Amino acid sequence: MPRTIWSGAISFGLVTVPIHVASATENHSISFHQYHLADQGRVRYRKFCEIEDRQVTESEIGKGYEVAKDQVIPISDAELANLPLPTAKAVEIESFVPLESIDPIRIGAGFYLTPNGQVAAKPYKLLRQALGRSSRVAIVKWAWHGRERLGLLRVRDEALVLHLMYWPDEIRDPTELLPAPVEVTEDEIDGALALIESMTREDLEGPEFHDAYTDALAQIIEAKREDKPLPEAPAPETGGKVLDLMAALKESVTKAQASRGEGHADVHELPKKKTTAKKTTAKKQPAKKAAAKKTTKKAAAKKTARGPRSA
């Protein structure tokens, strides 16, 4: 069971739902310590008092706000826990909005909310079911880690999930990061759409959504532990400078479909580039041959329409 990292209540009008907050995610990455290369001694950070020039213990350390170089206002944990703020011990629901109206860049880490005791079970279920049927999410505020937070409350299966959110003024304007204006043709856009179509899927399950970096790191650690040769890194793909964007898109579609086990025959033909070459006049064919050719084209079109589309 994940440990509780915050306890309080959800304030939903006059309804109060006592809850515990627990992390909804796990970190499976490999972590390292710092060591002295000469003798493998562990390197640690120690906290020293600048005035007494000695190491201090955790019980001697507190928080403070520096007003001036020679004046610090101490703030205790008890004072932070009893701020004169409605959201100090409650997750206050401010409004309800469609999830689509929120820019994903504002949504952060998620936490599971669990009812605090049997008395909270019914109002918890009431809020969860009402929120689910409304097809909306709740925008909330609460105090946590030394500041008031903005959050998003939503339903996931049978649980309520609380996401951290950034305040509007915490999102940077990307304008200054954008490149100089360039022109993109409709044929190039159609080619990119064909690539998107070939790479579209219904879920995020599969071997490609696996942390290969951690596995590779574990292989190196195991090889060094057993004094074996280190695994060789795969040779990087040597792709030259892309000069023809349409050719690159077409090749990307082919590779994407091949990686998913689709035959070459299923590759969508990307729009061809317009050229300035002179038009050639086609010779007129006899009526019977022209009609036969037209019929063959219609049959091919129907066959294509019935054929499987790329995912």
Side-chain angles (χ1 to χ4, degrees), residues 31 73 85 104 115 117 122 156 189 206 228 255 257-258 274 281 286 291 310:
S31 58
I73 307 297
L85 192 68
K122 187 170 183 177
R156 184 178 189 270
I189 294 174
K228 293 181 178 180
K255 286 185 176 180
Q257 292 183 333
K274 295 179 181 179
T281 306
S310 301

Side-chain angles (χ1 to χ4, degrees), residues 80-287:
L80 290 174
N82 293 283
L83 289 173
L85 192 68
T87 56
K89 278 293 182 181
V91 177
E92 294 275 352
I93 295 180
E94 299 293 327
S95 60
F96 296 89
V97 299
L99 179 59
E100 299 77 27
S101 67
I102 302 173
D103 187 338
I105 199 172
R106 295 188 60 185
I107 303 175
F111 300 87
Y112 285 132
L113 303 186
T114 60
N116 184 3
Q118 189 59 36
V119 67
K122 187 170 183 177
Y124 181 93
K125 184 175 182 178
L126 171 65
L127 177 58
R128 190 195 73 227
Q129 290 189 337
L131 192 59
R133 292 187 187 183
S134 72
S135 299
R136 293 178 176 84
V137 295
I139 302 302
V140 304
K141 290 198 301 185
W142 86 106
W144 187 48
H145 280 196
R147 56 178 297 192
E148 188 171 55
R149 302 277 180 164
L150 189 67
L152 179 153
L153 190 64
R154 68 178 180 92
V155 174
R156 184 178 189 270
D157 298 329
E158 298 297 310
L160 289 173
V161 180
L162 176 63
H163 287 274
L164 298 177
M165 283 186 68
Y166 292 100
W167 295 95
D169 60 354
E170 292 179 316
I171 305 298
R172 292 173 175 166
D173 185 351
T175 304
E176 61 184 21
L177 305 176
L178 300 179
V182 294
E183 294 297 327
V184 179
T185 68
E186 287 298 320
D187 284 351
E188 290 169 338
I189 294 174
D190 289 341
L193 288 173
L195 178 56
I196 291 173
E197 178 70 16
S198 68
M199 297 176 67
T200 297
R201 57 188 300 154
E202 298 299 326
D203 55 53
L204 297 180
E205 302 295 330
E208 60 267 47
F209 298 106
H210 178 73
D211 184 6
Y213 180 89
T214 298
D215 286 348
L217 191 55
Q219 290 177 29
I220 291 178
I221 293 173
E222 186 65 17
K224 297 194 73 171
R225 187 175 72 88
E226 298 183 358
D227 199 22
K228 293 181 178 180
L230 297 181
E232 294 184 4
E237 293 187 9
T238 55
K241 187 176 181 180
V242 177
L243 300 177
D244 189 336
L245 186 55
M246 291 301 297
L249 286 169
K250 187 172 183 178
E251 184 179 353
S252 298
V253 171
T254 304
K255 286 185 176 180
Q257 292 183 333
S259 68
R260 299 175 67 163
E262 300 176 6
H264 181 74
D266 292 334
V267 176
H268 294 291
E269 282 296 327
L270 299 181
K272 295 181 179 179
K273 276 189 168 182
K274 295 179 181 179
T275 61
T276 57
K278 293 181 179 180
K279 294 182 180 179
T280 57
T281 306
K283 294 182 179 180
K284 290 187 178 180
Q285 297 180 1

